[in-house]
Amino acid sequence: MECNYTLDDAFHGHFGNNDIYVMCSVPSYTPDEGHIRLAAGNQSNAGRLEIYHNGKWGTVCDDNFNSRSVQVVCRQLGYLPGGFLNLAAFGEGGGHIWLDNVNCTGLETSLSACNHNNWGSHDCTHHEDVSVFCKLPDVHDIRLVGGNSSLEGRVEIFHNDEWGTICDDNFDEKDAQVVCRQLGYRGGAVYGQAYFGEGSDDIWLDGVNCQGNEQRLTECNHDSWGVSNCRHSEDVGVTCL
């Protein structure tokens, strides 16, 4: 917030000799290109899908939109995958229809990275605006990010309302087994040194030491949350079966 103040005598006369008149304004926020949002819902995790392009918000047509596209949308927003609704379930948008025939593999980190028609090229009306609903992560949910399938990637854990990474110090196959078990998979192989790319948020866990039979990673011994001597170049990754 930015504030300007004045001690002009005219304001003194109105408010009193010892009063200070202050005017504040909230700086305008400009989204990044390709930023997405879910509009017109009662919660931030559900609503009409809109994407920011060329300085303006616009909608996405429901043609060929599927669960793989939902995975990308929800991941970009920091949620877990949910589902989608056709035919402007959250109301019709206005202005541009920016995307049509979106075709994601499910592994992209942003919706704009998926295949789609040229920006603004479509055969839709706003009656076909697609809507998405995502699952809110539970405390200490985990996910795999940056891999070539849902079975592999950088391990991230949800804590204090934010996703963060895990340091590879002493992380071994017993720890990986617990990660995979929590995700509903089997096995577990470890890839250190940010093999699946570096994260950018908090490093939540270090010194993870599992016995291998735990159901959730947080049942394992570990250092205090957010305490580590690591950098993101040490983010651990896992592959499951």
Side-chain angles (χ1 to χ4, degrees), residues 12-192:
H12 286 172
H14 183 74
F15 292 100
N17 290 334
N18 296 319
D19 289 336
I20 297 176
Y21 179 73
V22 179
M23 298 181 63
C24 298
S25 62
V26 178
S28 59
Y29 165 68
T30 302
D32 293 331
E33 173 72 16
H35 191 82
I36 59 175
R37 67 183 182 186
L38 301 179
N42 292 325
Q43 295 179 312
S44 61
N45 62 312
R48 182 178 60 250
L49 177 59
E50 298 186 351
I51 188 165
Y52 192 77
H53 172 66
N54 201 26
K56 294 181 180 180
W57 287 101
T59 61
V60 178
C61 184
D62 60 18
D63 290 350
N64 300 317
F65 202 89
N66 58 32
S67 60
R68 293 188 300 274
S69 303
V70 171
Q71 290 178 17
V72 176
V73 167
C74 294
R75 183 185 303 118
Q76 184 175 350
L77 291 170
Y79 301 130
L80 298 174
F84 69 98
L85 299 168
N86 293 327
L87 302 177
F90 281 85
E92 297 183 9
H96 295 281
I97 299 174
W98 278 135
L99 294 182
D100 190 14
N101 290 317
V102 175
N103 183 18
C104 302
T105 66
L107 302 174
E108 296 88 350
T109 57
S110 66
L111 186 66
S112 58
C114 301
N115 290 326
H116 53 76
N117 291 359
N118 291 331
W119 290 93
S121 176
H122 63 85
D123 59 356
C124 306
T125 67
H126 280 297
H127 181 63
E128 299 169 84
D129 289 341
V130 74
S131 299
V132 170
F133 56 93
C134 303
K135 178 177 178 261
L136 293 170
D138 293 325
V139 175
H140 302 155
D141 271 349
I142 56 176
R143 66 182 184 181
L144 302 179
V145 179
N148 291 320
S149 77
S150 61
L151 295 171
E152 64 178 19
R154 180 178 64 253
V155 184
E156 296 190 351
I157 188 165
F158 193 71
H159 175 71
N160 200 25
D161 292 330
E162 293 184 1
W163 289 101
T165 61
I166 298 173
C167 184
D168 61 13
D169 288 352
N170 301 318
F171 202 95
D172 60 21
E173 290 189 357
K174 291 181 180 179
D175 307 318
Q177 287 174 10
V178 176
V179 167
C180 294
R181 181 180 300 118
Q182 183 173 341
L183 291 170
Y185 303 133
R186 296 181 294 108
V190 181
Y191 291 82

